[in-house]
Structure formats: structure tokens, C-alpha cells
Coordinates of all heavy atoms in Angstrom, one line a residue:
M1 N 4.2 0.3 -11.7 CA 3.7 0.7 -10.4 C 2.8 -0.4 -9.9 O 1.8 -0.7 -10.5 CB 2.9 2.0 -10.6 CG 2.6 2.7 -9.3 SD 2.2 4.5 -9.6 CE 0.5 4.5 -9.1
S2 N 3.1 -1.0 -8.7 CA 2.2 -2.0 -8.2 C 2.4 -1.9 -6.7 O 3.3 -1.3 -6.1 CB 2.5 -3.4 -8.7 OG 3.8 -3.8 -8.3
A3 N 1.4 -2.6 -6.0 CA 1.5 -2.7 -4.5 C 2.7 -3.4 -4.0 O 3.1 -4.4 -4.6 CB 0.2 -3.3 -4.0
R4 N 3.2 -3.0 -2.8 CA 4.3 -3.7 -2.2 C 3.9 -4.0 -0.7 O 3.2 -3.1 -0.1 CB 5.6 -2.9 -2.2 CG 6.1 -2.7 -3.6 CD 7.4 -1.9 -3.4 NE 8.0 -1.7 -4.7 CZ 9.2 -1.3 -4.9 NH1 10.0 -1.0 -3.8 NH2 9.7 -1.1 -6.1
L5 N 4.4 -5.0 -0.2 CA 4.1 -5.4 1.2 C 5.3 -5.3 2.1 O 6.4 -5.8 1.8 CB 3.5 -6.8 1.2 CG 3.3 -7.4 2.6 CD1 2.1 -6.6 3.3 CD2 2.9 -8.9 2.5
D6 N 5.2 -4.6 3.2 CA 6.2 -4.6 4.3 C 5.8 -5.7 5.3 O 4.9 -5.5 6.1 CB 6.2 -3.2 4.9 CG 7.3 -3.1 6.0 OD1 7.7 -4.1 6.5 OD2 7.6 -2.0 6.4
L7 N 6.5 -6.8 5.2 CA 6.2 -8.0 6.0 C 6.3 -7.7 7.5 O 5.5 -8.2 8.3 CB 7.1 -9.1 5.7 CG 7.0 -9.7 4.3 CD1 8.1 -10.8 4.1 CD2 5.6 -10.4 4.2
E8 N 7.2 -6.8 7.9 CA 7.3 -6.5 9.4 C 6.1 -5.8 9.9 O 5.8 -5.9 11.1 CB 8.5 -5.6 9.6 CG 9.9 -6.2 9.1 CD 10.2 -7.4 10.0 OE1 10.0 -7.3 11.2 OE2 10.7 -8.4 9.5
R9 N 5.4 -5.1 9.1 CA 4.2 -4.3 9.6 C 2.9 -5.1 9.5 O 1.9 -4.8 10.1 CB 4.0 -3.0 8.8 CG 5.0 -1.9 9.1 CD 4.8 -0.8 8.2 NE 5.5 0.4 8.6 CZ 5.1 1.3 9.4 NH1 3.8 1.3 9.9 NH2 5.8 2.4 9.8
C10 N 2.9 -6.2 8.7 CA 1.6 -6.9 8.5 C 1.2 -7.7 9.7 O 2.0 -8.5 10.2 CB 1.8 -7.8 7.3 SG 0.3 -8.8 6.9
S11 N 0.0 -7.5 10.1 CA -0.6 -8.3 11.3 C -1.4 -9.4 10.9 O -2.1 -10.1 11.7 CB -1.3 -7.3 12.2 OG -2.4 -6.8 11.5
R12 N -1.5 -9.7 9.6 CA -2.3 -10.8 9.0 C -3.8 -10.7 9.3 O -4.5 -11.7 9.5 CB -1.8 -12.1 9.6 CG -0.3 -12.3 9.4 CD 0.2 -13.6 10.0 NE 1.6 -13.5 10.4 CZ 2.3 -14.6 10.8 NH1 1.8 -15.7 10.8 NH2 3.6 -14.4 11.1
C13 N -4.3 -9.5 9.3 CA -5.7 -9.3 9.5 C -6.6 -9.7 8.4 O -7.7 -10.0 8.6 CB -6.0 -7.8 9.9 SG -5.8 -6.7 8.4
G14 N -6.0 -9.8 7.2 CA -6.8 -10.3 6.0 C -7.6 -9.2 5.4 O -8.3 -9.5 4.4
R15 N -7.7 -8.0 5.9 CA -8.6 -7.0 5.3 C -8.3 -6.7 3.8 O -9.2 -6.5 3.0 CB -8.6 -5.7 6.1 CG -9.3 -6.0 7.5 CD -9.0 -5.0 8.5 NE -9.4 -3.6 8.2 CZ -9.4 -2.6 9.1 NH1 -9.1 -2.9 10.4 NH2 -9.8 -1.5 8.8
C16 N -7.0 -6.6 3.5 CA -6.6 -6.3 2.1 C -7.1 -7.3 1.1 O -7.4 -7.0 0.0 CB -5.2 -6.0 2.0 SG -4.1 -7.4 2.4
L17 N -7.1 -8.6 1.6 CA -7.5 -9.7 0.7 C -8.9 -9.5 0.2 O -9.3 -10.0 -0.9 CB -7.4 -11.0 1.4 CG -6.0 -11.3 2.1 CD1 -6.1 -12.6 2.9 CD2 -4.9 -11.4 1.0
E18 N -9.8 -8.9 1.0 CA -11.2 -8.8 0.7 C -11.5 -7.6 -0.3 O -12.6 -7.6 -0.8 CB -12.0 -8.6 2.0 CG -11.9 -9.8 2.9 CD -12.5 -9.6 4.3 OE1 -13.1 -8.5 4.4 OE2 -12.2 -10.4 5.1
V19 N -10.6 -6.6 -0.4 CA -10.9 -5.4 -1.1 C -10.3 -5.3 -2.5 O -10.8 -4.5 -3.3 CB -10.6 -4.1 -0.3 CG1 -11.4 -4.1 1.0 CG2 -9.1 -4.0 -0.1
C20 N -9.3 -6.1 -2.8 CA -8.7 -5.9 -4.1 C -9.7 -6.3 -5.2 O -10.2 -7.4 -5.3 CB -7.4 -6.8 -4.2 SG -6.7 -6.7 -5.9
P21 N -10.1 -5.4 -6.1 CA -11.1 -5.6 -7.1 C -10.7 -6.7 -8.1 O -11.5 -7.3 -8.7 CB -11.3 -4.3 -7.7 CG -10.1 -3.5 -7.4 CD -9.6 -4.0 -6.1
G22 N -9.4 -6.9 -8.2 CA -8.9 -8.0 -9.2 C -8.6 -9.3 -8.5 O -8.2 -10.2 -9.2
G23 N -8.8 -9.4 -7.2 CA -8.5 -10.6 -6.5 C -7.0 -11.0 -6.6 O -6.7 -12.1 -6.5
L24 N -6.2 -10.0 -6.6 CA -4.8 -10.2 -6.8 C -4.0 -10.5 -5.5 O -2.9 -11.1 -5.6 CB -4.1 -9.0 -7.5 CG -4.7 -8.5 -8.8 CD1 -4.0 -7.3 -9.3 CD2 -4.7 -9.7 -9.8
L25 N -4.6 -10.1 -4.4 CA -4.0 -10.4 -3.1 C -4.5 -11.7 -2.5 O -5.7 -11.8 -2.4 CB -4.2 -9.2 -2.1 CG -3.5 -7.9 -2.5 CD1 -4.1 -6.8 -1.7 CD2 -2.0 -8.1 -2.2
R26 N -3.6 -12.6 -2.2 CA -4.0 -13.9 -1.7 C -3.2 -14.3 -0.5 O -2.1 -13.9 -0.4 CB -3.9 -15.0 -2.8 CG -4.7 -14.6 -4.0 CD -4.5 -15.6 -5.2 NE -5.1 -14.9 -6.3 CZ -4.8 -15.2 -7.6 NH1 -3.9 -16.1 -7.8 NH2 -5.4 -14.6 -8.6
A27 N -3.8 -15.0 0.4 CA -3.1 -15.4 1.7 C -2.1 -16.4 1.4 O -2.3 -17.4 0.7 CB -4.2 -15.9 2.7
G28 N -0.9 -16.2 1.9 CA 0.2 -17.1 1.7 C 0.1 -18.2 2.9 O -0.8 -18.1 3.7
P29 N 1.0 -19.1 2.9 CA 1.0 -20.2 3.9 C 1.0 -19.6 5.4 O 0.5 -20.2 6.3 CB 2.2 -21.0 3.6 CG 2.6 -20.7 2.2 CD 2.1 -19.3 2.0
D30 N 1.7 -18.5 5.6 CA 1.8 -17.9 6.9 C 0.7 -16.9 7.2 O 0.7 -16.2 8.2 CB 3.1 -17.2 7.1 CG 3.3 -16.0 6.1 OD1 2.5 -15.8 5.3 OD2 4.4 -15.4 6.3
G31 N -0.3 -16.8 6.3 CA -1.4 -15.9 6.5 C -1.2 -14.5 6.0 O -2.1 -13.7 5.9
R32 N 0.0 -14.2 5.6 CA 0.3 -12.8 5.1 C -0.1 -12.8 3.6 O 0.0 -13.8 2.9 CB 1.8 -12.5 5.2 CG 2.2 -12.2 6.7 CD 3.6 -11.8 6.7 NE 4.1 -11.5 8.0 CZ 5.0 -12.2 8.7 NH1 5.6 -13.2 8.1 NH2 5.4 -11.8 9.9
P33 N -0.5 -11.7 3.1 CA -0.9 -11.6 1.7 C 0.3 -11.7 0.7 O 1.4 -11.2 1.1 CB -1.6 -10.3 1.6 CG -1.0 -9.5 2.7 CD -0.7 -10.4 3.8
T34 N 0.1 -12.2 -0.4 CA 1.1 -12.2 -1.5 C 0.4 -11.6 -2.7 O -0.8 -11.7 -2.8 CB 1.6 -13.5 -1.9 OG1 0.6 -14.4 -2.3 CG2 2.4 -14.2 -0.7
L35 N 1.1 -10.8 -3.5 CA 0.5 -10.2 -4.7 C 0.7 -11.1 -5.9 O 1.8 -11.3 -6.4 CB 1.2 -8.9 -4.9 CG 0.6 -8.1 -6.1 CD1 -0.8 -7.8 -6.0 CD2 1.4 -6.8 -6.3
A36 N -0.3 -11.8 -6.2 CA -0.3 -12.7 -7.4 C -0.4 -11.8 -8.6 O -1.1 -10.9 -8.7 CB -1.4 -13.7 -7.4
E37 N 0.4 -12.1 -9.6 CA 0.3 -11.4 -10.9 C 0.5 -9.9 -10.7 O -0.5 -9.1 -11.0 CB -1.0 -11.7 -11.6 CG -1.3 -13.2 -11.9 CD -2.6 -13.4 -12.4 OE1 -2.8 -13.3 -13.7 OE2 -3.5 -13.8 -11.6
P38 N 1.6 -9.5 -10.2 CA 1.8 -8.0 -9.9 C 1.6 -7.2 -11.2 O 1.2 -6.0 -11.1 CB 3.2 -7.9 -9.4 CG 3.8 -9.2 -9.7 CD 2.8 -10.3 -9.8
E39 N 1.8 -7.7 -12.3 CA 1.7 -7.0 -13.6 C 0.2 -6.6 -13.8 O 0.0 -5.7 -14.6 CB 2.3 -7.8 -14.8 CG 1.5 -9.0 -15.2 CD 1.8 -10.2 -14.3 OE1 2.5 -10.1 -13.4 OE2 1.2 -11.3 -14.6
R40 N -0.7 -7.3 -13.1 CA -2.1 -6.9 -13.3 C -2.6 -5.9 -12.3 O -3.7 -5.4 -12.4 CB -3.0 -8.2 -13.2 CG -2.9 -9.1 -14.3 CD -3.8 -10.3 -14.2 NE -5.2 -9.8 -14.1 CZ -6.1 -10.5 -13.4 NH1 -5.8 -11.6 -12.7 NH2 -7.3 -10.0 -13.3
C41 N -1.8 -5.5 -11.3 CA -2.1 -4.5 -10.3 C -2.2 -3.1 -11.0 O -1.2 -2.7 -11.6 CB -1.1 -4.5 -9.2 SG -1.3 -3.1 -8.1
W42 N -3.3 -2.5 -10.9 CA -3.5 -1.2 -11.6 C -3.4 0.0 -10.6 O -3.9 1.1 -10.9 CB -4.8 -1.1 -12.5 CG -6.1 -1.3 -11.7 CD1 -6.8 -0.3 -11.2 CD2 -6.7 -2.5 -11.5 NE1 -8.0 -0.9 -10.6 CE2 -7.9 -2.3 -10.8 CE3 -6.4 -3.9 -11.8 CZ2 -8.8 -3.2 -10.4 CZ3 -7.3 -4.9 -11.3 CH2 -8.5 -4.5 -10.7
S43 N -2.9 -0.3 -9.4 CA -2.6 0.8 -8.5 C -3.8 1.6 -8.0 O -3.7 2.8 -7.9 CB -1.5 1.7 -9.0 OG -0.3 1.0 -9.3
C44 N -4.9 0.9 -7.8 CA -6.1 1.5 -7.4 C -6.0 2.0 -5.9 O -6.8 2.9 -5.5 CB -7.3 0.6 -7.5 SG -7.3 -0.8 -6.4
A45 N -5.1 1.4 -5.2 CA -4.9 1.8 -3.7 C -5.9 1.4 -2.8 O -5.9 1.8 -1.6 CB -4.7 3.3 -3.6
A46 N -6.9 0.5 -3.2 CA -7.9 0.0 -2.3 C -7.3 -0.7 -1.1 O -7.7 -0.6 0.0 CB -8.9 -0.9 -3.1
C47 N -6.2 -1.5 -1.4 CA -5.6 -2.3 -0.3 C -4.9 -1.4 0.6 O -4.9 -1.6 1.8 CB -4.7 -3.3 -0.9 SG -3.4 -2.7 -2.0
L48 N -4.2 -0.3 0.1 CA -3.5 0.6 1.0 C -4.5 1.3 2.0 O -4.2 1.4 3.2 CB -2.9 1.7 0.2 CG -1.5 1.6 -0.4 CD1 -1.5 0.5 -1.5 CD2 -0.9 2.9 -0.9
K49 N -5.7 1.7 1.5 CA -6.6 2.4 2.3 C -7.2 1.5 3.3 O -7.7 2.0 4.4 CB -7.7 3.0 1.4 CG -7.2 4.1 0.5 CD -8.4 4.8 -0.2 CE -8.7 4.1 -1.5 NZ -9.7 4.9 -2.4
E50 N -7.3 0.2 3.1 CA -7.9 -0.7 4.1 C -6.9 -1.2 5.1 O -7.3 -1.6 6.2 CB -8.4 -1.9 3.3 CG -9.5 -2.7 4.0 CD -10.7 -1.9 4.3 OE1 -11.1 -1.0 3.6 OE2 -11.3 -2.2 5.4
C51 N -5.6 -1.2 4.9 CA -4.7 -1.7 5.8 C -4.5 -0.9 7.0 O -4.3 0.3 6.9 CB -3.3 -1.9 5.1 SG -2.0 -2.5 6.2
P52 N -4.7 -1.5 8.2 CA -4.6 -0.7 9.5 C -3.2 -0.4 9.9 O -3.0 0.4 10.8 CB -5.3 -1.6 10.5 CG -5.1 -2.9 10.0 CD -5.1 -2.8 8.5
N53 N -2.2 -1.0 9.3 CA -0.8 -0.9 9.7 C 0.1 -0.2 8.8 O 1.4 -0.3 9.0 CB -0.3 -2.3 10.1 CG -1.2 -3.0 11.1 OD1 -1.6 -2.3 12.1 ND2 -1.4 -4.3 11.0
Q54 N -0.4 0.3 7.7 CA 0.5 0.9 6.7 C 1.5 -0.1 6.2 O 2.7 0.2 5.9 CB 1.2 2.2 7.1 CG 0.2 3.3 7.4 CD 0.9 4.6 7.9 OE1 1.2 4.7 9.0 NE2 1.1 5.5 6.9
A55 N 1.1 -1.4 6.1 CA 2.0 -2.4 5.6 C 2.1 -2.5 4.1 O 2.9 -3.1 3.5 CB 1.5 -3.8 6.2
L56 N 1.1 -1.8 3.4 CA 1.1 -1.8 2.0 C 1.5 -0.4 1.4 O 1.1 0.6 2.0 CB -0.3 -2.2 1.5 CG -0.6 -3.7 1.6 CD1 -2.1 -3.9 1.7 CD2 0.0 -4.6 0.6
A57 N 2.2 -0.4 0.3 CA 2.6 0.8 -0.3 C 2.5 0.7 -1.8 O 2.6 -0.5 -2.3 CB 4.0 1.2 0.2
L58 N 2.4 1.8 -2.5 CA 2.5 1.8 -3.9 C 3.9 2.5 -4.3 O 4.3 3.5 -3.7 CB 1.4 2.6 -4.6 CG 0.0 2.0 -4.6 CD1 -1.0 2.9 -5.2 CD2 0.1 0.7 -5.4
S59 N 4.6 1.9 -5.3 CA 5.8 2.4 -5.8 C 5.4 3.4 -6.9 O 4.8 3.1 -7.8 CB 6.6 1.3 -6.3 OG 7.8 1.8 -6.9
L60 N 5.8 4.7 -6.6 CA 5.4 5.7 -7.6 C 6.4 5.8 -8.8 O 7.6 5.7 -8.6 CB 5.3 7.1 -6.9 CG 4.3 7.2 -5.8 CD1 4.4 8.6 -5.2 CD2 2.9 7.0 -6.3
P61 N 5.9 6.1 -9.9 CA 6.8 6.3 -11.1 C 7.6 7.6 -10.9 O 7.2 8.5 -10.2 CB 5.8 6.4 -12.3 CG 4.5 6.9 -11.7 CD 4.5 6.4 -10.3
P62 N 8.7 7.7 -11.7 CA 9.5 8.9 -11.6 C 8.7 10.2 -11.8 O 9.0 11.2 -11.1 CB 10.5 8.7 -12.7 CG 10.6 7.2 -12.9 CD 9.2 6.7 -12.6
S63 N 7.7 10.2 -12.6 CA 7.0 11.5 -12.9 C 6.2 11.9 -11.6 O 5.7 13.1 -11.6 CB 6.0 11.3 -14.1 OG 5.1 10.2 -13.8
L64 N 6.0 11.0 -10.7 CA 5.2 11.4 -9.5 C 6.1 11.3 -8.2 O 5.6 11.0 -7.2 CB 4.0 10.4 -9.4 CG 2.9 10.6 -10.4 CD1 1.8 9.6 -10.1 CD2 2.3 12.0 -10.2
G65 N 7.3 11.6 -8.3 CA 8.1 11.6 -7.1 C 9.5 11.1 -7.2 O 10.2 11.1 -6.2
G66 N 9.8 10.5 -8.3 CA 11.2 10.0 -8.4 C 11.3 8.5 -8.1 O 10.4 7.9 -7.5
R67 N 12.3 7.9 -8.7 CA 12.6 6.5 -8.5 C 12.7 6.1 -7.1 O 13.4 6.7 -6.3 CB 13.9 6.2 -9.3 CG 14.1 4.7 -9.6 CD 15.3 4.6 -10.4 NE 15.6 3.2 -10.8 CZ 15.0 2.6 -11.8 NH1 14.2 3.3 -12.6 NH2 15.3 1.4 -12.1
G68 N 11.9 5.1 -6.7 CA 12.0 4.5 -5.3 C 11.1 5.2 -4.3 O 11.1 4.8 -3.2
T69 N 10.3 6.2 -4.8 CA 9.3 6.8 -3.9 C 8.2 5.9 -3.6 O 7.6 5.3 -4.6 CB 8.9 8.1 -4.4 OG1 10.0 9.0 -4.6 CG2 7.9 8.8 -3.5
L70 N 7.8 5.7 -2.3 CA 6.7 4.8 -2.0 C 5.5 5.7 -1.4 O 5.8 6.7 -0.7 CB 7.1 3.8 -1.0 CG 8.1 2.8 -1.4 CD1 8.6 1.9 -0.3 CD2 7.6 1.9 -2.5
L71 N 4.3 5.3 -1.7 CA 3.1 6.0 -1.2 C 2.4 5.1 -0.2 O 2.1 3.9 -0.5 CB 2.2 6.4 -2.3 CG 0.9 7.1 -2.0 CD1 1.3 8.6 -1.5 CD2 0.0 7.2 -3.2
T72 N 2.1 5.6 1.0 CA 1.3 4.8 2.0 C 0.0 5.6 2.3 O 0.0 6.9 2.1 CB 2.1 4.5 3.3 OG1 2.5 5.8 3.9 CG2 3.3 3.7 3.0
A73 N -0.9 5.0 2.9 CA -2.2 5.6 3.3 C -2.5 5.2 4.7 O -2.3 4.0 5.1 CB -3.3 5.2 2.4
A74 N -3.1 6.1 5.5 CA -3.5 5.8 6.9 C -4.8 6.5 7.1 O -5.1 7.6 6.7 CB -2.5 6.3 7.9
R75 N -5.8 5.7 7.7 CA -7.1 6.3 8.1 C -6.9 7.1 9.4 O -6.4 6.6 10.4 CB -8.1 5.2 8.3 CG -8.6 4.6 7.0 CD -9.8 3.7 7.3 NE -10.1 2.9 6.1 CZ -10.8 3.5 5.0 NH1 -11.2 4.7 5.1 NH2 -11.0 2.7 4.0
R76 N -7.4 8.3 9.3 CA -7.4 9.2 10.5 C -8.9 9.6 10.7 O -9.7 9.5 9.8 CB -6.6 10.5 10.2 CG -5.2 10.2 9.8 CD -4.4 9.5 10.9 NE -3.0 9.4 10.6 CZ -2.2 8.4 11.0 NH1 -2.7 7.4 11.8 NH2 -1.0 8.3 10.7
P77 N -9.2 10.1 11.9 CA -10.6 10.5 12.2 C -11.2 11.4 11.2 O -12.4 11.4 11.0 CB -10.5 11.1 13.6 CG -9.3 10.5 14.2 CD -8.3 10.3 13.1
D78 N -10.4 12.3 10.6 CA -10.9 13.3 9.7 C -10.6 12.9 8.2 O -10.8 13.8 7.4 CB -10.3 14.7 10.0 CG -8.8 14.6 9.9 OD1 -8.2 13.5 9.9 OD2 -8.2 15.7 9.9
G79 N -10.2 11.7 7.9 CA -10.0 11.3 6.5 C -8.8 10.5 6.3 O -8.2 10.0 7.3
L80 N -8.4 10.4 5.1 CA -7.2 9.6 4.7 C -6.0 10.5 4.7 O -6.0 11.6 4.3 CB -7.3 8.9 3.4 CG -8.1 7.6 3.3 CD1 -8.4 7.3 1.8 CD2 -7.4 6.5 4.0
E81 N -4.9 9.9 5.2 CA -3.6 10.6 5.2 C -2.7 9.9 4.3 O -2.4 8.7 4.5 CB -3.0 10.6 6.6 CG -1.7 11.4 6.8 CD -1.3 11.4 8.2 OE1 -1.7 12.2 9.0 OE2 -0.5 10.5 8.6
W82 N -2.3 10.5 3.2 CA -1.4 10.0 2.2 C 0.1 10.5 2.4 O 0.3 11.7 2.6 CB -1.8 10.4 0.8 CG -3.2 9.9 0.4 CD1 -4.3 10.6 0.6 CD2 -3.5 8.6 -0.1 NE1 -5.4 9.8 0.2 CE2 -4.9 8.6 -0.3 CE3 -2.8 7.5 -0.5 CZ2 -5.6 7.5 -0.8 CZ3 -3.4 6.4 -1.1 CH2 -4.8 6.4 -1.2
T83 N 1.0 9.6 2.5 CA 2.4 10.0 2.7 C 3.3 9.4 1.6 O 3.3 8.2 1.3 CB 2.9 9.5 4.1 OG1 2.0 10.0 5.1 CG2 4.3 10.0 4.3
A84 N 4.1 10.3 1.0 CA 5.1 9.9 0.0 C 6.4 9.8 0.8 O 6.8 10.7 1.5 CB 5.2 11.0 -1.1
H85 N 7.1 8.6 0.6 CA 8.3 8.4 1.3 C 9.4 8.4 0.2 O 9.5 7.5 -0.6 CB 8.3 7.0 2.0 CG 7.2 6.8 3.0 ND1 7.3 7.0 4.3 CD2 5.9 6.5 2.8 CE1 6.2 6.8 4.9 NE2 5.3 6.5 4.0
F86 N 10.2 9.5 0.2 CA 11.2 9.6 -0.8 C 12.5 8.8 -0.5 O 12.8 8.6 0.7 CB 11.6 11.1 -0.9 CG 10.4 12.0 -1.4 CD1 9.7 12.7 -0.4 CD2 10.0 12.0 -2.7 CE1 8.6 13.5 -0.8 CE2 8.9 12.8 -3.1 CZ 8.2 13.5 -2.1
P87 N 13.2 8.5 -1.5 CA 14.4 7.6 -1.3 C 15.4 8.3 -0.4 O 16.2 7.6 0.3 CB 15.0 7.5 -2.7 CG 13.9 7.8 -3.7 CD 13.0 8.7 -2.9
D88 N 15.5 9.6 -0.3 CA 16.5 10.2 0.6 C 16.0 10.4 2.1 O 16.6 11.0 2.9 CB 16.8 11.6 0.0 CG 15.6 12.6 0.0 OD1 14.5 12.2 0.5 OD2 15.8 13.7 -0.5
G89 N 14.8 9.8 2.4 CA 14.4 9.8 3.8 C 13.3 10.8 4.0 O 12.7 10.8 5.1
R90 N 13.1 11.8 3.1 CA 12.1 12.8 3.3 C 10.7 12.2 3.2 O 10.6 11.2 2.5 CB 12.3 14.0 2.3 CG 13.5 14.9 2.5 CD 13.5 15.9 1.5 NE 13.6 15.4 0.1 CZ 12.7 15.6 -0.8 NH1 11.7 16.4 -0.6 NH2 12.8 15.0 -2.0
T91 N 9.8 12.8 3.8 CA 8.4 12.4 3.6 C 7.5 13.7 3.3 O 7.9 14.8 3.7 CB 7.8 11.7 4.8 OG1 7.8 12.6 5.9 CG2 8.5 10.4 5.1
K92 N 6.4 13.5 2.6 CA 5.4 14.6 2.4 C 4.0 14.0 2.6 O 3.7 12.9 2.0 CB 5.6 15.1 1.0 CG 4.6 16.3 0.8 CD 4.9 17.0 -0.5 CE 4.0 18.2 -0.7 NZ 4.3 18.9 -2.0
T93 N 3.2 14.6 3.4 CA 1.9 14.1 3.7 C 0.8 15.0 3.3 O 0.9 16.2 3.4 CB 1.8 13.9 5.3 OG1 2.8 12.9 5.7 CG2 0.5 13.3 5.7
L94 N -0.3 14.4 2.7 CA -1.4 15.1 2.3 C -2.7 14.5 2.9 O -2.7 13.3 3.1 CB -1.5 15.2 0.8 CG -0.5 15.9 0.0 CD1 -0.6 15.6 -1.5 CD2 -0.5 17.4 0.2
R95 N -3.7 15.2 3.1 CA -5.0 14.7 3.6 C -6.0 14.7 2.5 O -6.0 15.6 1.7 CB -5.5 15.5 4.8 CG -4.7 15.5 6.0 CD -4.8 14.2 6.8 NE -4.0 14.2 7.9 CZ -4.4 14.2 9.2 NH1 -5.7 14.2 9.4 NH2 -3.6 14.1 10.2
S96 N -6.9 13.7 2.5 CA -8.0 13.7 1.5 C -9.3 13.3 2.2 O -9.2 12.8 3.3 CB -7.7 12.8 0.3 OG -7.7 11.4 0.7
Ligands
SF4_101 S1 -3.5 -1.5 -5.6 FE1 -5.6 -2.2 -6.2 S2 -5.2 -3.7 -7.8 FE2 -3.3 -3.4 -6.8 S3 -3.2 -5.1 -5.3 FE3 -4.0 -3.2 -4.2 S4 -6.2 -3.4 -4.4 FE4 -5.3 -4.8 -5.9
SF4_102 S1 -4.5 -5.3 5.5 FE1 -2.4 -4.8 6.1 S2 -2.1 -5.9 8.0 FE2 -3.9 -6.7 7.2 S3 -3.3 -8.6 6.0 FE3 -3.3 -6.9 4.6 S4 -1.2 -6.0 4.6 FE4 -1.4 -7.3 6.4

């Protein structure tokens, strides 16, 4: 389980680069982040919570939603909105 980047959604704001506690996200030549050493990503979700465009997602293990399920986070006025995107197109959203 590690962070993934949706290049189409990334606006190159750089916010995720500042919050990864392991310094694993680094700016590529085009300004978009790349995940250096993905095996060191411990899925803390700090980068997801900071991204204003839901360009970052975590790939969930089978025990938490099945193969291919992605988790995104969005800041809302009343808190964080977590959405699981299942491989069959369904989604499930929770607030925290
Ligand atoms: S999930 Fe955490 S450890 Fe992994 S890249 Fe994002 S901020 Fe870094
Ligand atoms: S926070 Fe999101 S939009 Fe900003 S650079 Fe990172 S992935 Fe791209």
C-alpha cells in the first residue's frame, strides 16, 4: 500500500511535497511530485489530506476493500471526506 498520483488532477501546487514526514515526495522536472522509494511509504495519508485536487490516492489492501480499491481525501468545511473508489466503479464516502 503506497500513495499514487493522478497526473491529470495535479496542479503542481507543491503542498504535498512539504508534508510527507519521510520526504518521499519530490518535485519532478515538470513540477509534479514523484514518489521516491515507494516501498518506504507507510500510507500515513498526510499527502492525501493536503492535496486540494484529490490527485493523490492510497491503494487499499484486499482486507480493506478489495484489490484495486483506491482511497482519496477531500477537505470540506466540516472536516475531511474520505472516499473509497472500488474497481467496479462504486464509491463509498465517510466523514471524519
Ligand atoms: S502516504 Fe505518507 S509516507 Fe506515503 S507519500 Fe504520502 S505523506 Fe509520504
Ligand atoms: S498537493 Fe496535489 S495538486 Fe499539489 S502538487 Fe501535490 S499532488 Fe499535485
Side-chain angles (χ1 to χ4, degrees):
M1 192 161 116
S2 67
R4 293 185 182 191
L5 174 67
D6 182 339
L7 292 174
E8 297 296 319
R9 286 178 168 268
C10 177
S11 61
R12 309 178 202 190
C13 70
R15 288 161 64 167
C16 61
L17 305 175
E18 298 170 7
V19 298
C20 177
L24 305 179
L25 290 163
R26 298 175 195 157
D30 63 356
R32 292 186 176 112
T34 59
L35 182 60
E37 305 173 80
E39 69 280 1
R40 289 185 56 213
C41 171
W42 61 92
S43 304
C44 68
C47 56
L48 274 70
K49 292 188 274 188
E50 200 62 33
C51 180
N53 302 321
Q54 294 181 279
L56 287 157
L58 285 176
S59 175
L60 296 180
S63 59
L64 289 177
R67 197 175 179 85
T69 300
L70 295 174
L71 181 69
T72 59
R75 283 193 191 281
R76 304 296 185 210
D78 57 345
L80 278 169
E81 185 178 273
W82 298 91
T83 302
H85 304 262
F86 298 101
D88 62 5
R90 289 179 302 119
T91 60
K92 184 172 183 179
T93 298
L94 296 170
R95 295 283 178 113
S96 67

